[in-house]
Amino acid sequence: MTVHPSTRSLSALAAAGVAFAAYPVLRGFGPESGLAGAELYARPAWLLAHLLGMAGFVLAATGLAGVDARAGRWATWGAFGVLPYYGAEAFGLHALGIRVLETGHTDMTPPADLFRYEPVALTLFTLGWAAFAAVGVRLLVLARRADGVRRLGLVLTGAALATYLPQFFLAPAGRIGHGLVLATGLLVLAASLSRSPVRGRQVRTEALAA
């Protein structure tokens, strides 16, 4: 069965919204060293949260391609940049946490920072977020030519993507709130595709012309 592109974009945006809302909530927060850090990493919710985050990036890129070809392309580049880092956090730190709890050797948690600040890993991660920030700016520009529900979705999603890297330095409540803003934007964008498919094609045509 062939899935219409607008339906695929709508579904991807909606699923990405759900993933980004759940990701910071399930991740959990607390000290990330010693036994407390190991307990945080070893939680099944830590693994699930990061898997949802990775799925969110891929789904967002797929969905945004149906809103604007350039934004979708840049988001794909961004996903390629951040996914290796997220994969290491999801699987590597989870395994590290389990091992610390098994052995009681809490001196094993410092290697987490050795990975996080490794130059190549950090460079790829930063470049990925630079691409997502460009997507955010692109969506905010498109919002100026949109109206109603579409404009709201573009503004919320654009603002959240443009500020995704800085939000890592917020308190837990701020990070959860940021995830909810991004989720709301993606869900509103999905709703705009379902309510106005003709207008959606017009926005994509205007974006390509620009």
Side-chain angles (χ1 to χ4, degrees):
M1 181 177 66
T2 302
V3 178
H4 193 277
S6 63
T7 302
R8 181 168 58 246
S9 295
L10 185 159
S11 300
L13 290 171
V18 173
F20 281 122
Y23 161 49
V25 175
L26 292 174
R27 180 195 185 278
F29 299 93
E32 297 195 20
S33 61
L35 185 60
E39 291 173 343
L40 178 66
Y41 299 150
R43 294 165 54 245
W46 172 274
L47 182 58
L48 176 59
H50 284 79
L51 289 173
L52 286 172
M54 290 187 282
F57 300 128
V58 175
L59 289 166
T62 301
L64 289 173
V67 176
D68 175 68
R70 190 178 301 176
R73 184 166 60 251
W74 292 351
T76 300
W77 296 344
F80 275 119
V82 303
L83 285 180
Y85 198 98
Y86 265 84
E89 286 226 332
F91 303 111
L93 296 189
H94 181 63
L96 178 64
I98 291 174
R99 186 60 176 168
V100 169
L101 294 182
E102 289 175 345
T103 64
H105 296 161
T106 57
D107 58 340
M108 293 174 63
T109 52
D113 283 341
L114 292 178
F115 153 70
R116 283 175 166 157
Y117 299 109
E118 197 280 327
V120 175
L122 193 58
T123 298
L124 286 175
F125 192 62
T126 303
L127 289 174
W129 287 122
F132 274 115
V135 173
V137 172
R138 174 68 175 171
L139 297 182
L140 291 172
V141 171
L142 292 176
R144 297 170 59 187
R145 298 198 295 269
D147 52 31
V149 174
R150 176 62 60 89
R151 173 177 289 179
L152 177 61
L154 290 170
V155 169
L156 291 176
T157 304
L161 288 177
T163 58
Y164 209 107
L165 182 58
Q167 67 86 33
F168 284 115
F169 302 97
L170 296 177
R175 295 187 62 176
I176 292 172
H178 184 275
L180 292 175
V181 170
L182 178 54
T184 301
L186 291 166
L187 291 170
V188 171
L189 266 184
S192 73
L193 289 178
S194 67
R195 292 177 58 181
S196 183
V198 174
R199 178 58 183 160
R201 288 194 294 271
Q202 291 174 343
V203 170
R204 291 195 295 274
T205 302
E206 293 170 1
L208 289 172

